[in-house]
Amino acid sequence: MLWTDGNGHWTNSVRTARDGNYYNPSARELYDYIDEETDKAQSWDAVDDDAYDQLAYYCGLDIGDYDSRDDLMDDCLVEIEKEEKGR
């Protein structure tokens, strides 16, 4: 599980999240974080597998249905944009 403080700091530490001013990110925040980190590193491995699991959960997708992180991210973006349009 990842948490953010909304200022570009991310953690997967429960202690840091609890003791700091961290919260559960929205699907959009998590998607953007993953996209940015993987683009910088030019690798899907730039973020923990847990981040993809968390994003899939937020988007209502079963991560087990995906062989490709690229396909997962594409489908998550579709779900996020649907949610944003529905607001």
Side-chain angles (χ1 to χ4, degrees), residues 45-86:
D45 295 333
V47 297
D48 288 341
D49 289 338
D50 290 347
Y52 296 103
D53 291 337
Q54 185 175 352
L55 182 62
Y57 175 78
Y58 284 174
C59 294
L61 302 173
D62 182 352
I63 198 162
D65 292 342
Y66 293 89
D67 293 327
S68 161
R69 296 231 170 108
D70 197 36
D71 291 342
L72 172 67
M73 292 294 286
D74 288 346
D75 287 354
C76 282
L77 184 58
V78 167
E79 294 302 318
I80 291 167
E81 289 176 343
K82 278 188 213 175
E83 169 82 17
E84 290 172 346
K85 286 181 183 178

